[in-house]
Structures are given as structure tokens and as C-alpha cells.
Amino acid sequence: MQHHRAIRTKVWQYPSLARRRGRFITLAAMVGLAGCSAIPDAPHRQPGRHSATAFTPSPAYGQCLADLGARAASFTPLPDQYYGGGCATTNAVRLVSLSGDQSSLALTNLGPVTCPLANSFAGWARFGVDRAARAVLGSALVKIETMGSYNCRNVAGTDHRSAHATGSAIDVSGFVLADGRRITVLGHWSAGTPEERQFLRIVQQSACKRFGTVLGPEYNPAHHNHFHVELSGTAFCH
Ligand SMILES: [Zn+2]
């Protein structure tokens, strides 16, 4: 798959947040993004060379981006994309990393997600997962491994679109700790040490407080290797 480089024409900053957090938080306006969205390796700032329309978020989206910045997340706002057949990503972001209590949290395999989902995910990563890792396993969280987010498909075995078809769900498969341990749903839900199994159940339960729908290995065989989290639904936690 050929990746198209996004051209950043203007760097959006929240100076007060940057000062408060002691780090540089940017929201990059993006244009020229083709169907396949990819994060450039490094920012491209070439003011005046591109006659691009300025990125103007809606008030709700703008507030959501500010909230995400306040969580010290590193991310890029994405232009709305409509793929047809009920598949689209709107008010979405590309998450680069999140923040735990003491360290940055890397993310793998994560595509576009809606901004509200990103916010809940950021809160869960820090307060649900990082703190559980330190409390139960004695080591901080440094990475969350996923099996993706946006995917234009139906719920397995049905004729209706999955929350993944709008970037409204994330499949979480594993967690890497500062001491190098890697705890996965596939490898440790049933076969882990008592502490590893307890950790996975605690992080699933904490996800249930922040997401409307959480599905794990006990739900059905399709979820034997990941937690599916999405905002819609009401305490549907299995
Ligand atoms: Zn899923």
C-alpha cells in the first residue's frame, strides 16, 4: 500500500497547555491527504507554498481536541473522510502516543479513531491500565498494542456495520510494561500467572466504566485475543 504524505500547512498550538504540561503539543492542519492516511515521519512546514484551506474544527470537535491535548496525548487531527457504504471517519484523530502517570505510552497498529473515543481511551490508558500495571504487576505501562480501529466491515455474522466502520471502536490485544513484560489477551487471559490474569480482568472492568461496550474473551470466540471497546451502548460488558 502506498502511503501518501500529509502536508502540514499550519501548526496549531495550545500555548497554555504546552506550558502547563511542559511539552510541545501540536495540532497539525492537514491537507492533501488521500484515501490512505499516514503520519509523516517529520513535520513538513512550508508556509506559503501550499494554497490550502485552513483547518477549522467545529466547536465540538475543537473542544474535543483541546481535551485530548489536556491529557497530554500526541495526535494529529484528520480531515473527514467518506468511503461509501456506511463507512467514514469524521471528527477523527490519529493517536501517536498517550501519557501515563510518569511516562509516554506508545501505541501500535492504531488507525483513525473518533476524537471522543480517543479521549476515553486516553483516560482508560492512564487511570485504568497504567495504574493497574503498577499496582498489580509492579511495573509501569509503556505500550498498548492494538489490532486496529477503523475497518469498513460488518459485525461478524450480521448484516449491519460494525462500530469499526466509523472509527468508533478499538481492538486492544496487549500491553507492554517498563520491565519488558508483554501481557496479551491471547497469551495471558487464561494461561497467565494469577497476577497477569488479575491485571487483564481489572483493565477490562475499568474499560467498562469508560466505554458503553466492552467485549472480551468471555463474550465469544471472535474476541479470544482482544478487548473490543467502543463508546456506544450502555454498560454492555462481557
Ligand atoms: Zn472490535
Side-chain angles (χ1 to χ4, degrees):
M1 178 172 70
Q2 179 176 353
H3 284 252
H4 301 269
R5 280 183 176 273
I7 301 165
R8 300 184 181 202
T9 57
K10 186 175 181 179
V11 175
W12 291 68
Q13 299 178 40
Y14 290 97
S16 61
L17 288 174
R19 278 197 298 273
R20 189 160 69 238
R21 294 285 172 177
R23 66 178 65 193
F24 187 66
I25 299 169
T26 64
L27 302 176
M30 301 178 70
V31 296
L33 195 66
C36 172
S37 55
I39 298 292
D41 297 330
H44 291 260
R45 295 195 66 188
Q46 297 174 302
R49 292 194 57 189
H50 301 279
S51 57
T53 304
F55 174 75
T56 307
S58 69
Y61 184 46
Q63 181 61 52
C64 185
L65 297 178
D67 292 344
L68 197 53
R71 292 184 182 277
S74 176
F75 63 95
T76 306
L78 299 175
D80 291 352
Q81 297 271 11
Y82 297 89
Y83 302 98
C87 296
T89 52
T90 61
N91 296 326
V93 299
R94 171 84 61 166
L95 284 174
V96 178
S97 66
L98 301 174
S99 285
D101 280 338
Q102 299 158 358
S103 60
S104 177
L105 308 177
L107 302 165
T108 61
N109 294 323
L110 191 56
V113 296
T114 65
C115 184
L117 177 64
N119 254 308
S120 292
F121 194 72
W124 174 66
R126 176 174 178 179
F127 300 109
V129 186
D130 182 33
R131 291 189 179 181
R134 283 184 284 123
V136 178
L137 299 174
S139 182
L141 178 71
V142 295
K143 182 190 294 182
I144 296 178
E145 299 178 339
T146 83
M147 298 171 70
S149 50
Y150 174 76
N151 187 346
C152 184
R153 63 172 172 80
N154 291 347
V155 174
T158 76
D159 59 359
H160 62 268
R161 285 295 189 214
S162 163
H164 288 288
T166 53
S168 301
I170 299 172
D171 290 337
V172 178
S173 54
F175 309 91
V176 178
L177 309 186
D179 64 8
R181 268 182 292 177
R182 178 168 174 264
I183 313 298
T184 66
V185 178
L186 177 64
H188 299 87
W189 179 264
S190 299
T193 66
E195 291 76 18
E196 290 163 347
R197 298 176 64 201
Q198 180 190 14
F199 165 74
L200 289 174
R201 283 156 179 79
I202 287 174
V203 300
Q204 185 186 24
Q205 286 303 311
S206 64
C208 295
K209 298 174 184 172
R210 293 177 181 271
F211 303 97
T213 300
V214 177
L215 306 175
E218 308 295 331
Y219 180 62
N220 66 17
H223 295 81
H224 70 291
N225 59 354
H226 68 276
F227 299 132
H228 167 104
V229 301
E230 66 175 270
L231 288 180
S232 59
T234 304
F236 194 78
C237 179
H238 298 278

